[in-house]
DNA sequence: GCCGGCATAGGTGTTTATACCTATGGTTTT
DNA sequence: AAAACCATAGGTATAAACACCTATGCCGGC
């Protein structure tokens, strides 16, 4: 029987070691590679086929989103499952857009992980219940109030603002000019009637556009 | 030979499973208990002796700090090692004050973890290099006086900041100079390791010092 | 009585955010 | 095709936040 070949990309070494052992304990799985950064992973898949990748979203240097995009450009059949700590709409949307086949929260247990990998390997999707419910409740909450809708790009910027990034850092992350970020900021403030970053964050939390946990 | 009995308290099940396997692989270690929450752990140690506890700091409901305090009240000889994802001065100070014997970053590797456990078990301390350097650079010029938590006045200012007031508005509201508010702001930022208002609000929410709803 | 922590406040910078403005290329809608 | 909207980006300001400095009066512990 052919084992499912799994790679792990996560900057937390302890977590990586742990997942590796958990998965290797399951007969049909074999972790063939793990690394702390996206660059190494991109190099790796150039030479070695991989069935499933468990990809951390929050990583320094090359983010999980960027790594996924570049990986799928090289190997369009690669099945990427995003590992995330939080339930965060922006990450979710970006990763979906990037082409991941599923999400797993780090607080899931090994049975859920096993199920997710099997599901995705056999061609399906896997999105954790909590994330789906959260998204659902958010889209309901959105229709209820707020006449001034933010555009997709504005939501991207809003999310990064609420993570504590400066305009410069947001510009670098989104590969756009700081001036563009400032325009988005100004438009967001106008639409939300917020006077500054703090009021903006309050608005964002109250309108369920971001999560602070 | 007597094995070192280890317990793990962390709300991320996958991480817990992983660490458990990593540690059980090492002959002199034995993970005898793991749980996702502090309450269960407190109950557990009432009946069962434990040598080392790996304690996650960021946990919902009962925090790692509270759990550590209550555990040490019950079992003063318990050796607690804090597991943390971030490098945040307030957390270190609070955990140190609570009586932990060491810190380990989640991005450490298993060798560092093994070393840390052995060191603490044999009566020593273990504070990861990165944390020590960070603390050292922050406490240059300071005395042995531990800057533990926010003062009452700082909490007043923090609350108003998180309500969206500017420094000027806070000054007017508290009948003090804007310069004083700015000093408080700076001290709060230093103590919380936040770089700006957004990061400060994230910290405040995570530490239950403010509510946004 | 001394010392440390705290709240107060001023000085002097740099960096970041915010407020306006114009402008262009690309979609989508009408 | 024209209109409306969006993302992009530059210019020119001011306002606010942040960094690092000194200093003083008050209060509580030793």
């Amino acid at each position: 029987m052919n084992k499912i070949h799994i790679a792990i990309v996560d900057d937390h070494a302890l977590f990586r070691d742990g997942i590796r052992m958990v998965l290797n304990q399951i007969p049909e799985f074999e972790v063939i590679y793990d690394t702390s950064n996206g660059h190494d992973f991109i190099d790796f898949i150039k030479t070695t086929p991989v069935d499933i990748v468990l990809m951390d979203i929050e990583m320094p240097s090359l983010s999980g989103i960027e790594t996924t995009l570049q990986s799928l450009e090289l190997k369009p059949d690669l099945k990427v499952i995003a590992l995330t700590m939080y339930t965060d709409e922006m990450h979710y949307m970006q990763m979906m857009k990037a082409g991941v086949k599923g999400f797993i929260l780090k607080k899931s247990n090994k049975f859920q992980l096993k199920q997710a990998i099997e599901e995705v390997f056999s061609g399906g999707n896997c999105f954790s219940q909590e994330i789906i419910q959260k998204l659902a409740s958010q889209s309901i909450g959105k229709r209820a109030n707020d006449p001034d809708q933010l555009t997709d790009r504005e939501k991207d910027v809003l999310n990064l603002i609420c993570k504590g990034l400066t305009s410069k850092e947001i510009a670098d992350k989104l590969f756009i000019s700081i001036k563009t970020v400032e325009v988005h900021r100004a438009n967001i403030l106008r639409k939300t009637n917020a006077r500054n970053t703090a009021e903006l964050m309050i608005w964002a939390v109250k309108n369920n556009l971001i999560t602070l946990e």
Side-chain angles (χ1 to χ4, degrees), chain A residues 28-79:
Chain A
E28 63 260 45
F29 294 162
E30 186 180 356
V31 177
I32 57 168
Y33 179 75
D34 71 285
T35 178
S36 67
N37 80 82
H39 301 288
D40 290 350
F41 175 70
I42 303 277
D43 282 344
F44 178 74
I45 57 170
K46 285 176 185 164
T47 60
T48 316
V50 172
D51 295 319
I52 299 274
V53 191
L54 299 178
M55 178 84 63
D56 187 23
I57 300 187
E58 297 94 4
M59 284 191 300
S61 140
L62 196 62
S63 76
I65 290 159
E66 259 309 305
T67 307
T68 300
L69 282 171
Q70 293 185 24
S71 303
L72 289 176
E73 211 166 309
L74 274 169
K75 305 281 171 187
D77 292 336
L78 196 67
K79 295 187 168 80

Side-chain angles (χ1 to χ4, degrees), chain A residues 2-213:
Chain A
N2 271 341
K3 291 196 174 192
I4 299 178
H5 287 185
I6 300 173
I8 303 169
V9 185
D10 192 318
D11 59 314
H12 293 120
L14 280 178
F15 189 76
R16 227 164 54 226
D17 287 350
I19 291 263
R20 180 172 202 135
M21 298 198 65
V22 168
L23 292 178
N24 278 336
Q25 212 187 20
I26 300 169
E28 63 260 45
F29 294 162
E30 186 180 356
V31 177
I32 57 168
Y33 179 75
D34 71 285
T35 178
S36 67
N37 80 82
H39 301 288
D40 290 350
F41 175 70
I42 303 277
D43 282 344
F44 178 74
I45 57 170
K46 285 176 185 164
T47 60
T48 316
V50 172
D51 295 319
I52 299 274
V53 191
L54 299 178
M55 178 84 63
D56 187 23
I57 300 187
E58 297 94 4
M59 284 191 300
S61 140
L62 196 62
S63 76
I65 290 159
E66 259 309 305
T67 307
T68 300
L69 282 171
Q70 293 185 24
S71 303
L72 289 176
E73 211 166 309
L74 274 169
K75 305 281 171 187
D77 292 336
L78 196 67
K79 295 187 168 80
V80 181
I81 297 177
L83 272 173
T84 181
M85 208 122 41
Y86 313 110
T87 51
D88 172 323
E89 186 190 4
M90 189 202 80
H91 277 151
Y92 178 85
M93 291 313 228
Q94 285 190 337
M95 289 300 281
M96 289 279 274
K97 229 169 156 182
V100 303
K101 296 291 189 299
F103 274 89
I104 279 289
L105 291 175
K106 284 193 179 176
K107 69 178 172 195
S108 311
N109 61 42
K110 50 187 156 186
F111 306 107
Q112 293 171 312
L113 178 63
K114 177 172 179 288
Q115 217 171 1
I117 292 174
E118 286 167 348
E119 180 65 25
V120 170
F121 180 71
S122 61
N125 289 325
C126 165
F127 298 100
S128 99
Q129 208 51 34
E130 187 171 336
I131 289 179
I132 289 177
Q133 284 172 350
K134 194 142 199 164
L135 279 181
S137 73
Q138 280 177 1
S139 54
I140 288 167
K142 252 179 258 168
R143 278 182 213 110
N145 49 9
D146 109 49
D148 18 350
Q149 272 285 358
L150 298 185
T151 66
D152 287 347
R153 200 53 160 173
E154 282 162 359
K155 282 186 216 159
D156 291 344
V157 173
L158 173 61
N159 265 289
L160 295 174
I161 290 172
C162 293
K163 280 192 155 55
L165 276 67
T166 65
S167 295
K168 175 81 179 65
E169 291 165 346
I170 295 170
D172 289 346
K173 192 151 200 155
L174 298 181
F175 303 111
I176 55 180
S177 156
I178 188 173
K179 287 302 298 184
T180 305
V181 176
E182 283 172 346
V183 170
H184 286 313
R185 273 190 107 118
N187 289 335
I188 294 168
L189 288 178
R190 180 177 45 75
K191 288 183 181 178
T192 59
N193 286 321
R195 298 177 304 153
N196 52 42
T197 305
E199 281 194 356
L200 180 58
M201 287 180 72
I202 296 167
W203 181 90
V205 168
K206 286 194 173 161
N207 287 272
N208 290 314
L209 283 176
I210 62 157
T211 321
L212 283 184
E213 307 156 73

